[in-house]
Amino acid sequence: MDILETDAYDRRKRRNVSCALLFSLLPFFLSSALYFYLLTPGSAPSVMSAGVKCAPTLLLAAAVLSWNGGQSVLGVAGGLLLSVVGDCCLVWPEMFIHGMGAFAAAHLLYSLSFLSSRYATRSSTSWTRLLYLLLVVVGGAFYFYIFPFLQKAPNSDLLTPGVGIYTLLITVMGVLAIRTRRATTLLGSLIFIVSDVSLSLQVFKVLPPMQHGQHVVMVTYYLAQLLIAVGDIKAAENKDDFSKWKRT
């Protein structure tokens, strides 16, 4: 094939892949819509509400596994599955620490995935180093800001160091997302941080009760997980394309 035919073939292939990816994500979109349709803030925790809440993230994990295979269990797919555990725990307030631990482990798997060869990186530039510094400063400043509120919370002896470790892990995850230089992955990671900040401000009573506080947390949370999942699928796809190009 000449250059024009090859280019047209590549465009058709990318279009077909994008359509297939969108189709595989339809269950996530439908289950997310169902969650927001049924969302009634202040309702009593139940197994049903936990199932509806966990379904979108679980379906995202299934989509990543179907595209990237079983090896992604130790990466983004595994992080999504741990997030499902965290989602379930957070339905019951008394299991907040358990949920935070599950999400901390999820961020660790995301970080390991961002360090893998699928996320090939170029050398850091001045603006990426500035973003690293900014994210670390913001993470540290936020922890010190909520520290007095953590001291007043029940189980403060566990929450205070636990939130500190969690803040460190999610900050590292964000820094490594910047390192990938992939817009989808970076945006997903930053939105995840925004979601967690919103949740923390509400859970630890830094802000007065918000009318749509839970909607803000969950919209940003689902969007963040979606972007991280799509970024991982695209990273694997680009690596496969590069490997094929090297063999030709």
Side-chain angles (χ1 to χ4, degrees):
M1 291 189 294
D2 60 25
I3 295 177
L4 290 178
E5 290 175 331
T6 302
D7 184 58
Y9 172 78
D10 288 340
R11 284 201 304 271
R12 285 196 302 271
K13 181 181 176 183
R14 286 193 295 268
R15 185 167 59 249
N16 291 339
V17 168
S18 296
C19 290
L21 176 57
L22 180 60
F23 182 78
S24 69
L25 292 173
L26 278 179
F28 164 79
F29 292 119
L30 293 174
S31 60
S32 299
L34 178 63
Y35 171 79
F36 287 109
Y37 177 75
L38 297 175
L39 177 61
T40 52
S43 61
S46 67
V47 174
M48 178 67 74
S49 62
V52 173
K53 181 184 180 184
C54 295
T57 311
L58 184 60
L59 291 167
L60 267 183
V64 173
L65 283 169
S66 70
W67 280 84
N68 293 353
Q71 70 272 12
S72 58
V73 170
L74 295 178
V76 167
L80 288 166
L81 292 173
L82 285 168
S83 297
V84 171
V85 176
D87 286 335
C88 186
C89 290
L90 293 185
V91 170
W92 288 270
E94 64 272 18
M95 296 188 68
F96 180 83
I97 293 177
H98 301 81
M100 184 173 64
F103 278 113
H107 293 315
L108 184 58
L109 285 185
Y110 289 159
S111 297
L112 292 174
S113 183
F114 298 161
L115 284 170
S116 69
S117 60
R118 287 186 292 108
Y119 291 85
T121 56
R122 296 182 292 273
S123 58
S124 296
T125 62
S126 57
W127 73 266
T128 55
R129 287 191 289 269
L130 180 61
L131 281 177
Y132 295 156
L133 178 61
L134 181 61
L135 194 55
V136 170
V137 169
V138 168
F142 178 76
Y143 178 70
F144 282 109
Y145 175 69
I146 65 170
F147 185 84
F149 298 93
L150 295 174
Q151 295 289 293
K152 300 175 186 176
N155 297 325
S156 61
D157 55 331
L158 291 175
L159 272 176
T160 303
V163 171
I165 294 170
Y166 183 87
T167 302
L168 175 63
L169 288 174
I170 197 172
T171 301
V172 169
M173 187 270 289
V175 167
L176 293 176
I178 296 171
R179 179 178 174 273
T180 67
R181 306 276 286 277
R182 294 180 178 274
T184 307
T185 300
L186 172 57
L187 190 58
S189 300
L190 295 180
I191 293 175
F192 208 134
I193 293 173
V194 171
S195 179
D196 276 358
V197 167
S198 177
L199 177 64
S200 300
L201 294 177
Q202 296 175 61
V203 168
F204 302 125
K205 297 179 172 55
V206 180
L207 297 176
M210 299 169 59
Q211 183 179 0
H212 300 292
Q214 192 172 355
H215 288 82
V216 172
V217 171
M218 295 308 297
V219 166
T220 50
Y221 169 70
Y222 285 145
L223 177 59
Q225 296 283 39
L226 172 65
L227 291 172
I228 290 172
V230 170
D232 195 60
I233 292 170
K234 291 292 187 181
E237 177 190 333
N238 291 341
K239 183 190 175 187
D240 290 343
D241 288 344
F242 180 71
S243 298
K244 292 175 184 175
W245 177 81
K246 285 181 69 177
R247 289 195 297 267
T248 58

